[in-house]
Every structure is written in C-alpha cells, then in structure tokens.
Amino acid sequence: MEVTMMGKLLVFLVSLNILSSIVHAVGPPTCPADIGSSCSDDEWEGEFFPGIPKIKYEGQNSKNPLAFKYYNAEEEILGKKMKDWMRFSVAFWHTFRGSGADPFGAPTKYWPWEDGTNSVAMAKRRMRANFEFLEKLGVEFWCFHDRDIAPDGKTLEETNRNLDEVVALAKELQQRTEIHPLWGTAQLFMHPRYMHGAATSPELGVYAYAAAQVKKAMEVTHYLGGENYVFWGGREGYQSLLNTDMGRELDHMASFLEAAAKYKKKIGFNGTLLIEPKPQEPTKHQYDWDAATAANFLRKYGLIDEFKLNIECNHATLSGHSCHHELETARLNGLLGNIDANTGDAQTGWDTDQFMTDIAEATLVMLSVIKNGGLAPGGFNFDAKLRRESTDVEDLFIAHISGMDTLARGLRTAAKLIEDGSLAELVRKRYMSFDTEVGAQIEAGKADFEYLEKKAMELGEPTVPSAKQELAEMIFYSAL
C-alpha cells in the first residue's frame, strides 16, 4: 500500500514538473541578454507606477507622503516662480539603473518592469518608465549618461546604433511633453578601457575612443534639446605619482576639453559645458579636486570662458569643504552653472549620494543661488539614490518629494533672511571701515604701501570690533 501511494505521488510530482515546464515555455517571452535581439518592448502594458497619482502641492500641514508640503511650482518667491528657481532634474542612472548593490552585497532592487537583461528593448522600456515618473513627479528635466540609457555593443558603431534607437524613443516621448534633458554626459569611467582614465589615459587609443564617445554624447544631448553638457572625470587622476606624468596628463585633459568646446560650436550646440569637481573616488587623487582647483585649471589653459562648474554637495564635503563654500567659490569666479543636489553621511568616508534633507544646508545653498540670480540654464539635478534598504517603488517618489521639499523650504527660508535684512546688515557693518575714502582707494587698487604706511601712522593703533558670529548664527537658525 505504501509503495503504491509513493508511486502515485512520484507520478504526480513528475507530471506537475512537466506541466510547469509547458506553462513556462508558452508564457510571455522576455527580452534576452543578446542586445541584437529583435524582442519588442511593447509587451509592457499599463502604467509603470500604478496607484501613484500626479504629485500635487498640499501645504505644510499635509500628512500625505505623496504630496509636496513646501514646493509649490507656480508660487513666486523674490519675483520668480519656484520652478524657475529650482529647475529640478531626475538622474536617470540612480533612479532607473541603481540596483542597491554595494562592495559588500548584491543588488536589492528589482523593479517590476525589469526583465534582468541589458537589451535595447529593456532600455526602451526603462525610458518609458522614466517619462511616466517625470510626468507624475511634475519635473521638466532629466539627466543621463550615454551608457545608462543604452547598452554597449560589440563595436563603437553598434553601440552608437543602440544609443540612436533609444534616443529616438526619448525624442518621441519628449514631443508629447515639455520635458527635455537638463544635461547629458558620457560615461567614461565604468568600462575596463578607462581604468587609467579617459582624457588622461597613457594609451592614445583610449583617448581617441573617449573623444568619439563624447562627440556622440554631445550630439545626442543637442538632438534632445539638452541645455548643458557635463564632464565628470572620475578616473582623470592618479593612484601613484611614481608611474604618472602629471604634467603630460593635465596637458592632454586640457586639449581634450578644448576640442570638446570647439566641437560644441561646430554642431551649433548652445548649451553650457560644465566640469564637475571631485577630490577622489575612484582615483586616489582627481585632477579637478574642488571648485578652486578647477577654476585654476581653466584659467591656466585659457578655457575659463568655455566652461562653468557643476557643484555636487557630497563632493564638496569629500574635498573638506561645505557645499556653501564650493558654491560661493564657483559663484565669485563667475563659474556657478549647475548643482548636483545631494549630501553625504558625516560618519561615512565616501560618496553616499543621499537626498538632501538638512534644512540649514538647503538654506545656505539657496542663499548662493539667489545671489547668483538663479541657475538657468542649469538647475538642480538629483544625483541621489535610494538607500540600499529602500526597495519599494513608491520610495522613488518619496525620496524625490523629500529632496524637492527640502530645497523649497531652503528657498523660503533664504527669502525670509533676505527680506528681513538683519544678517546682511551685520555683514555690512563688519566691513564698514572700507566704506571710506581710504577703503575706496584700496578696493580700486590705487593704495600703494607708502600711502598705506602714512595712513597707518595717522590712524594709530586700530580698534578691532567683534565679529558677532554667534549673533549671525542666531539670526540664521532663528529663521529656520
């Protein structure tokens, strides 16, 4: 009896396995990893984010996590609409290619629309998801790396064809909306060919390949109506000076950027070229360490009128500065072009790319932006990603809503400080000794040392007043 029952059970299990195989075989096809596949992305039906409505402004008393509390796009602050101060952009790479993987763990994010491949068809499906996300979030800009939106091919020619196919879809989706790229860029750091750098590689073939890749990426950005083009030299630096000709590498990088500026004009691209400083990671030392270093490099090589800077807040802290410092350095040099809005963790020593949630930091950022008269044609790109442990689709919206509200609250607070005038008055009084005839001579560059020595003897021992730092901090934090 037991043998008969066991036999029946075995037959049942085998039959179930066969049935499962048949069902799997006749089920809906998925796109294979072969990027040459003819698999279509039309198999996805319906919304990518069902149940997520278009995000609206509900005011600061709202408890709805899928609503803005401080960002009201059409509201005017200091004579300009909030959306025009902000010009928010979504980073395609973090939002749609971020997997949650880290050096110690496998990916944690498996979005419903992903099929596990890196096919052109999958790339097109992601692009459709991107535009639905942008429309529901109410954002008019997006940013991309070329290799994030379309896969590499076996040759440069095949890779360019892949990119063209995905870009054609992006163009079609843009024409139905007011959405277009804030900026585009070329991914010159992930592929093994770039392990020694791109524009600073010691291999001529790599330098040429990088130029061809930037050429194509710039053409695509121009075709899609992008307003800027970014250069982030993640591997433009060194691990050791013992095997590095730093002078030659810097000269090569300058020649590369000069060629890019010339090509921009040749194709009629009127967008701003932006350099994004970062001190290190993945290299031990990156050549555009911070805003001051990048500005000096541009001046030395006669490129100061061709480029501006894209300041990333997390990069600022990695270089030992505050984001406010880097923004002011860029602004005072006439180079503030765009902001990658993110932040780092004070207890972590790497680029964590978190969404900004600190209202004080956001207020300082917005004080610089207001002094700059805005960022256009740049804006705020959310170069920020979900934490590894955040794995729900709605988390993508919640994170961006939080980041947008934080900067909006910073704008409101900065406007309050400017309209109050107390902080500006404190600063004015601190330098009022220069609002004199002698001060005017100094600031005009007309006061030589003999003249100043004479004035020092006339004025006698100077009385040095208090800096009132605590009062300045009181005024600032009271506004929060």
Side-chain angles (χ1 to χ4, degrees):
M1 180 69 176
E2 289 181 4
V3 173
T4 303
M5 289 298 294
M6 287 297 291
K8 288 181 178 179
L9 180 60
L10 181 60
V11 170
F12 172 75
L13 290 173
V14 171
S15 300
L16 186 62
N17 185 54
I18 293 171
L19 179 61
S20 175
S21 298
I22 293 171
V23 169
H24 179 75
V26 300
T30 58
C31 298
D34 176 14
I35 59 174
S37 167
S38 60
C39 183
S40 170
D41 65 318
D42 294 334
E43 66 190 67
W44 187 270
E45 296 180 1
E47 296 185 355
F48 292 94
F49 304 97
I52 304 287
K54 184 172 175 59
I55 309 304
K56 297 180 180 179
Y57 170 72
E58 293 185 1
Q60 61 183 297
N61 294 323
S62 173
K63 301 298 182 182
N64 179 8
L66 295 176
F68 295 119
K69 286 80 177 172
Y70 294 92
Y71 177 62
N72 186 9
E74 299 297 325
E75 181 181 347
E76 286 198 4
I77 303 286
L78 298 178
K80 189 180 295 188
K81 290 182 179 180
M82 292 190 83
K83 68 176 186 179
D84 295 327
W85 278 116
M86 303 304 191
R87 291 169 58 84
F88 286 131
S89 172
V90 170
F92 188 94
W93 56 97
H94 281 319
T95 308
F96 291 97
R97 301 311 304 272
S99 67
D102 65 19
F104 302 95
T108 60
K109 301 180 194 339
Y110 304 95
W111 304 130
W113 54 84
E114 290 287 337
D115 66 8
T117 73
N118 194 29
S119 64
V120 172
M122 186 63 246
K124 291 166 76 173
R125 190 190 295 176
R126 287 189 200 103
M127 189 59 68
R128 293 184 188 279
N130 174 49
F131 273 80
E132 183 181 319
F133 182 80
L134 292 167
E135 289 188 84
K136 287 193 170 185
L137 190 61
V139 169
E140 296 178 355
F141 300 99
W142 62 294
C143 293
F144 66 91
H145 297 92
D146 52 358
R147 299 300 181 257
D148 296 323
I149 63 174
D152 261 317
K154 295 176 182 177
T155 65
L156 181 58
E157 292 84 357
E158 183 181 351
T159 300
N160 286 344
R161 287 196 299 272
N162 293 341
L163 184 58
D164 286 339
E165 188 172 341
V166 177
V167 166
L169 174 62
K171 183 77 167 181
E172 176 188 331
L173 295 169
Q174 285 187 176
Q175 289 172 343
R176 303 174 190 172
T177 67
E178 295 182 357
I179 296 168
H180 60 279
L182 183 65
W183 51 260
T185 189
Q187 188 192 80
L188 303 177
F189 50 87
M190 184 172 289
H191 195 282
R193 79 173 68 90
Y194 296 125
M195 64 179 177
H196 302 306
T200 59
S201 174
E203 289 297 322
L204 184 148
V206 174
Y207 185 98
Y209 198 107
Q213 192 173 333
V214 169
K215 174 181 177 292
K216 182 65 176 178
M218 194 179 293
E219 291 167 354
V220 164
T221 302
H222 181 35
Y223 176 72
L224 290 174
E227 298 193 34
N228 305 270
Y229 185 89
V230 167
F231 293 84
W232 176 61
R235 297 195 187 275
E236 312 297 8
Y238 62 82
Q239 300 295 352
S240 171
L241 281 174
L242 293 174
N243 63 349
T244 300
D245 187 335
M246 186 195 292
R248 201 167 189 183
E249 289 194 2
L250 287 168
D251 288 347
H252 290 173
M253 186 163 73
S255 295
F256 191 96
L257 294 173
E258 183 180 5
K262 288 179 179 177
Y263 191 67
K264 164 198 158 177
K265 295 171 185 175
K266 184 174 183 178
I267 63 174
F269 176 43
N270 295 320
T272 303
L273 300 181
L274 300 165
I275 290 177
E276 181 178 327
K278 187 180 182 182
Q280 61 215 10
E281 191 196 34
T283 60
K284 181 166 72 174
H285 179 93
Q286 192 168 310
Y287 290 136
D288 47 8
W289 180 275
D290 58 9
T293 305
N296 184 61
F297 171 86
L298 292 173
R299 283 197 184 91
K300 175 182 177 180
Y301 288 100
L303 295 169
I304 196 73
D305 295 325
E306 303 291 349
F307 290 83
K308 289 193 175 183
L309 301 183
N310 176 36
I311 300 299
E312 179 173 321
C313 290
N314 202 169
H315 293 179
T317 52
L318 289 176
S319 67
H321 306 305
S322 67
C323 188
H324 191 209
H325 168 90
E326 287 292 89
L327 293 174
E328 284 298 277
T329 300
R331 183 183 71 81
L332 292 170
N333 281 278
L335 296 174
L336 179 55
N338 193 81
I339 298 174
D340 268 5
N342 62 16
T343 192
D345 189 316
Q347 294 179 291
T348 306
W350 61 83
D351 194 6
T352 55
D353 285 337
Q354 295 170 235
F355 282 85
M356 187 181 293
T357 56
D358 187 322
I359 309 304
E361 183 177 21
T363 301
L364 292 170
V365 166
M366 292 312 305
L367 283 171
S368 288
V369 171
I370 291 169
K371 289 178 181 177
N372 200 57
L375 292 171
F380 283 97
N381 173 51
F382 285 108
D383 189 359
K385 59 189 175 185
L386 293 179
R387 296 303 85 198
R388 174 177 165 80
E389 303 79 13
S390 299
T391 57
D392 290 341
V393 168
E394 75 164 7
D395 293 337
L396 291 170
F397 284 90
I398 291 171
H400 282 85
I401 292 166
S402 175
M404 293 165 76
D405 264 344
T406 296
L407 285 163
R409 192 170 174 184
L411 174 61
R412 293 178 184 277
T413 308
K416 187 192 302 183
L417 284 166
I418 290 169
E419 289 168 346
D420 172 73
S422 298
L423 189 58
E425 179 62 12
L426 184 152
V427 174
R428 188 196 68 78
K429 286 182 177 179
R430 191 174 180 213
Y431 295 91
M432 63 187 302
S433 66
F434 280 85
D435 297 330
T436 59
E437 181 182 348
V438 178
Q441 290 287 99
I442 293 171
E443 292 182 345
K446 297 179 179 179
D448 59 26
F449 273 14
E450 288 83 0
Y451 171 79
L452 291 171
E453 179 187 44
K454 179 182 177 182
K455 291 299 177 183
M457 292 178 176
E458 290 177 5
L459 295 169
E461 184 63 30
T463 301
V464 182
S466 169
K468 296 291 183 184
Q469 180 177 327
E470 292 77 13
L471 177 57
E473 292 168 347
M474 178 186 290
I475 293 168
F476 177 79
Y477 285 101
S478 294
L480 303 181

